[in-house]
Amino acid sequence: MVSESCPKFSRANRLRLSSASSAIENPTKFLGDYNLQGLPLRRIEFLVHHFCSSMLLKTSIFNPVPTTTPPLRPPLFSSSPSRANLTENIAIEGRNLTFSITTRQGKIVPILRDCSLRIPSGQFWMLLGPNGCGKSTLLKVLAGLLNASTGAVYVKKPKCFVFQNPDYQVVMPTVEADVAFGLGKLNLTNEEVKSRVLEALSSVGMSSYLQRSVQTLSGGQKQRVAIAGALAEACKVLLLDELTTFLDEKDQMGVIKAVRSSLHNSEDVSALWVTHRLEELEYADGAIYMEDGKVIMHGDVESVQSFIKMKQSDYIKRIYYS
C-alpha cells in the first residue's frame, strides 16, 4: 500500500504511465526513460505492474513466454447467421477451455479441463466450487492474465479484474486518487475525471469517502473502492475473485450489495463473482459449479443450489454409512 508520505501522481504522470505501459517490457528501463518525481524503485515497479494488470494489457509482464492460443471467436449463439444479432447479448463466453502447468520434473499437470460457459449481458453470475477446483484460474483466463492451453474466449471490453486482496489493487493515498488512477490513459478533462469518480463512488455507496485516506478503510471498503475504479473506466465486465474471503459479515454484505447496485445502475455492466460460499447465491442471477477443473453445472441459481445440496447430502451419507 502507498503510504501517506509518498508523493501523489499528477495528471501528467498518470498520462506518462498510460503512454508507456502498452510497450513496457522492462520496468527498470522505463524508469530511465521517464522521470516520475523520484518515487522509490520498488513502488514504481509495483504501480507499473498494477496499472498493466488493471488495464488487462497483455504484456511480457504477465506472459513472459509466448504461447499459441486459438483465435478469439464470437459466442456460440452467433454460429447461426439468423441469430447473429444475439452476439451483443453475451458478456462472457468460454469454449472448451483447458489450462495446464509443467512442473520442474517436466510433468504436465492439468488445471482446467474442457471448460465451457456463457453469461448474458447485464447479469450477476457466480462461479462456485471447492477449494482447488480451478475457479480463480478460469477467471484469470477470462481476464487475459493467463493464456488458455486450448479453447477460445470471448469477453466484452473494456473488462476489469478485481483481486481477492484489495491491497494489491488499491494503491493510491486517497479514495479519490485511487478511483481516478486508471483514467490517466484517457483524454479527459479534470471536470470529466471528477464526474466519473463521483458517479462510480456513488454506485458503490462510497461517495462520502472521497477525501478519505485509503489506510483508514476497512477491507470491504477497499474492495468497493476497487470496484469503483473499474466502473469509472466504464468497464462492461467485472471479474471478481473471491472478494469476501477476508471480510467480516458486515463488509461481505456491503461488497455484494455494491456489485448488485452497480449492475442495477447500468444495464451494460455484467459481473462474474468467484466464491465458495453457498449463501451468496441468493444475490446472483445465475451460477456455475466446478469440480476438479471441470464445469459440472451451469444454469439458474435454484438448479445449481439444489445440485450442490444433493452432493453435500450424498457425501454425508457416504461418511455416515462407511
Side-chain angles (χ1 to χ4, degrees), residues 73-81 83-84 86-87 90 92-96 116-118 152 154:
R73 292 181 285 176
L76 298 176
F77 275 142
S78 65
S79 58
S80 170
R83 305 185 69 181
L86 292 178
T87 300
I90 300 299
I92 303 170
E93 183 166 13
R95 191 198 310 242
N96 306 118
S116 295
L117 69 156
R118 182 190 299 129
Y154 170 85

Side-chain angles (χ1 to χ4, degrees), residues 51 73 94 97 112 114 234 236 238 245 255 264 271 280 291 319:
F51 186 84
R73 292 181 285 176
L97 297 172
L112 299 179
D114 197 30
K236 299 296 184 184
L238 302 176
T245 299
V255 173
H264 177 74
E280 292 178 358
E291 275 186 8
I319 293 176

